[in-house]
Amino acid sequence: MPQTSRTPPFSRRSLLRALGGTTALGALTGCGVPAAYVRPGDRAGVDRSAGDKRLTWANWPLYIDTDDEDATERPTLAAFEKRTGISVGYSEEINDNDEFFGKISPSLMNHQRTGRDLIVVSDWMCARFVRLGWVQRMDRARQPNVAKYLDPLLRSPAFDPGRRSTVPWQSGITGIAYDRRRLGRELRHVSDLWSADLKGRVTLLSGLDEAFALLMQGDGVDITRWTAADFHRVCDQVEKRVHDGQIRRFTGNDYTKDLVSGDVLACQAYSGDVIQLAADNPDIRFVVPEEGAELWSDSLMIPDLAAHKANAEELVDYYYEPEVAAALAAWVNYVCPVPAAQSVLADSRDKETAALAENPLIFPDATMRGRLAIARDITAMERVEFARRWNRIVGL
C-alpha cells in the first residue's frame, strides 16, 4: 500500500470559468434539442467484453494510486489487470467538468460512441448526463461489492436514486479551513467568516456548484431541498460582504497558497486539500460547521454505446473491495466511499497509514456524518439564471 499521499489538482473540483459553456448547455437541456435526449432502450451498444478483454477509462490527473518510485505505475490498476486479464487503457484527460462535457457531448447527442467505457466527473455534472440519458445503468448483479460496501450517505442522490447509473469514485467535504495560530481562536460556524477580525482575510470558492451549498447551510437552509429564493437570498448576502470588503477574493484551489502565506486566515475549502496542508502545518484546521457541510462525490459512469460495459462494471466493483479501496484512500486522502476500508487501514503495520483510519476527513465519525448532506443539484432550467448572477458577483 502506498505510504505517500498527494493532493489531486484543483481542476477536479472545477469552477465555472465562463457563462458561455453553461449557456450552451442550458439551451441544450432546458430549451430542448429533441435529438439530444437518448431513450433508455437506445443507450446500450453491442458489448464486446466477453471476447475483447479490455476497456478505456478517462479520469482526472493524479486521482489514482501510483508507485512511489515510478509515477507511471498504478499498483491497484495493475493488480486488476493481472487478476482479470482485462487490459485497461487509462487516460488522465479530464481537467474540467465543462470542458470534458464539451469534448464528448457531440458524440453522445448524435448517438455515437465516445471511445470511452468509463468516465469520472463530479456529481453535479453526472446529473446532466443522467438527465440526458447519456449513460447506461450498471448491472448490480455484476457488482456485489458496490451493493454491499457503498457508504449509505452516498447511496441515493436525487439525480440518481439507488446509484444505478453512477458510482462514487471518491468523495469529499466542502467546509471551512483556517489558521488557528494566526487567528487565535476556533471557528465553528459559517457565520464566523463574517467576523470583524476576518475582514479582508476571507476567500470563497468561485465555482457556483462548489460554493453555494455551504453558504446556504450557514443561512439555515436544508440543502437537500433548497429553493430559488434561498439561492438569491444568499447571493444578496455575499454581494453585501463583497461590497463591505469582508471577502478578499474568490478562488479556485489557489486558496491553499493564500492560507499558507497568511494572506488569508479563513476560507471555503475541500477536506482533501486540508489534510495535505495540515501535514506540513498542524495549525491549519478544517471544520465541518455546526450548521452542516456539503458532501460531494466524483463518480464513475459508463457512457452510452460503450463497447466494454461488462468489463467496466467489473472494474468499478473491484475498487469497492475494502482492501483496494483502502489502498486508494491512503494515496488520495479524500473521503473514502467504502467505510469498510477503515478497518483495513487500521490494521496496517505502518503507523502513518494506520493513522489515516482515524482521520475523520477520510472516514467521517458519527458526529461529522450527522452534519453532512448532499445538495440538491441545480436543474437545467435554473442553471443559466443562477450562473449569470453568481458569475457577476464573482467577476467571471
Side-chain angles (χ1 to χ4, degrees):
M1 178 182 304
Q3 307 301 327
T4 304
S5 57
R6 296 164 177 79
T7 303
F10 76 91
S11 53
R12 186 180 334 112
R13 304 297 303 156
S14 66
L15 56 94
L16 259 62
R17 290 191 173 91
L19 187 57
T22 305
T23 303
L25 180 62
L28 176 65
T29 61
C31 300
V33 177
Y37 176 76
V38 179
R39 295 174 298 180
D42 295 330
R43 297 171 190 171
V46 175
D47 190 353
R48 303 171 184 167
S49 295
D52 189 8
K53 305 294 282 184
R54 63 190 176 97
L55 68 92
T56 300
W57 180 9
N59 204 348
W60 301 75
L62 301 177
Y63 214 10
I64 196 170
D65 56 302
T66 62
D67 185 88
D68 288 339
E69 296 181 359
D70 184 352
T72 65
E73 294 294 323
R74 305 177 180 96
T76 59
L77 195 55
F80 171 80
E81 291 178 315
K82 182 176 180 180
R83 179 198 296 185
T84 64
I86 297 172
S87 175
V88 181
Y90 187 82
S91 174
E92 295 185 334
E93 65 170 309
I94 305 176
N95 293 295
D96 177 273
N97 285 290
D98 286 308
E99 177 185 289
F100 186 68
F101 179 92
K103 186 175 185 178
I104 68 173
S105 60
S107 296
L108 290 165
M109 71 181 296
N110 288 295
H111 202 52
Q112 299 170 350
R113 295 185 187 275
T114 67
R116 301 158 184 86
D117 301 298
L118 199 60
I119 63 175
V120 180
V121 294
S122 300
D123 269 0
W124 60 267
M125 179 60 79
C126 289
R128 302 181 188 179
F129 280 86
V130 172
R131 288 196 199 101
L132 287 165
W134 288 0
V135 291
Q136 300 183 60
R137 292 187 65 164
M138 298 188 201
D139 183 355
R140 201 63 84 225
R142 297 178 180 273
Q143 298 177 317
N145 293 319
V146 174
K148 182 176 182 180
Y149 294 117
L150 174 58
D151 191 330
L153 282 178
L154 300 170
R155 282 183 180 271
S156 197
F159 71 89
D160 185 21
R163 285 284 187 182
R164 298 309 301 267
S165 299
T166 65
V167 173
W169 171 243
Q170 292 292 287
S171 190
I173 303 166
T174 301
I176 296 172
Y178 67 101
D179 190 313
R180 175 64 176 80
R181 182 181 61 81
R182 287 187 170 114
L183 182 58
R185 60 186 175 86
E186 304 289 341
L187 297 184
R188 297 182 179 178
H189 304 276
V190 176
S191 60
D192 290 340
L193 294 174
W194 320 133
S195 301
D197 61 344
L198 283 173
K199 184 173 183 178
R201 309 293 291 278
V202 172
T203 60
L204 299 182
L205 294 168
S206 55
L208 169 61
D209 295 272
E210 285 77 14
F212 81 94
L214 183 71
L215 299 174
M216 284 188 183
Q217 287 167 303
D219 200 41
V221 175
D222 178 354
I223 61 170
T224 66
R225 52 174 64 92
W226 59 271
T227 67
D230 295 325
F231 174 80
H232 287 297
R233 186 174 62 254
V234 165
C235 284
D236 290 342
Q237 295 167 1
V238 173
E239 281 182 322
K240 181 179 184 301
R241 284 161 185 141
V242 170
H243 182 267
D244 293 344
Q246 185 73 22
I247 297 169
R248 182 184 183 91
R249 68 188 186 104
F250 296 85
T251 73
N253 257 48
D254 47 341
Y255 71 81
T256 58
K257 298 177 182 178
D258 291 343
L259 193 60
V260 169
S261 70
D263 290 337
V264 161
L265 298 183
C267 56
Q268 268 190 317
Y270 304 127
S271 54
D273 290 339
V274 180
I275 290 175
Q276 300 301 314
L277 296 179
D280 295 326
N281 180 1
D283 291 317
I284 293 179
R285 312 281 178 86
F286 183 88
V287 61
V288 172
E290 293 186 9
E291 301 88 353
E294 181 189 16
L295 180 68
W296 50 262
S297 297
D298 295 332
S299 293
L300 298 143
M301 299 188 297
I302 299 174
D304 288 354
L305 304 180
H308 306 92
K309 181 175 183 285
N311 290 344
E313 289 167 336
E314 188 171 353
L315 177 63
V316 172
D317 198 58
Y318 163 77
Y319 274 99
Y320 269 70
E321 294 180 11
E323 294 77 12
V324 179
L328 186 62
W331 199 91
V332 176
N333 285 181
Y334 275 92
V335 175
C336 180
V338 183
Q342 184 173 20
S343 60
V344 177
L345 287 175
D347 290 340
S348 173
R349 294 180 179 179
D350 180 81
K351 291 183 179 180
E352 291 186 5
T353 300
L356 295 175
E358 302 304 318
N359 191 324
L361 300 185
I362 300 176
F363 299 99
D365 55 27
T367 299
M368 185 177 291
R369 290 173 73 88
R371 295 177 181 172
L372 300 176
I374 298 176
R376 169 180 83 75
D377 56 288
I378 299 171
T379 69
M381 295 299 292
E382 295 169 326
R383 182 164 292 279
V384 174
E385 173 193 351
F386 291 176
R388 183 178 292 115
R389 178 159 194 204
W390 181 255
N391 289 350
R392 279 201 305 266
I393 296 171
V394 173
L396 292 176

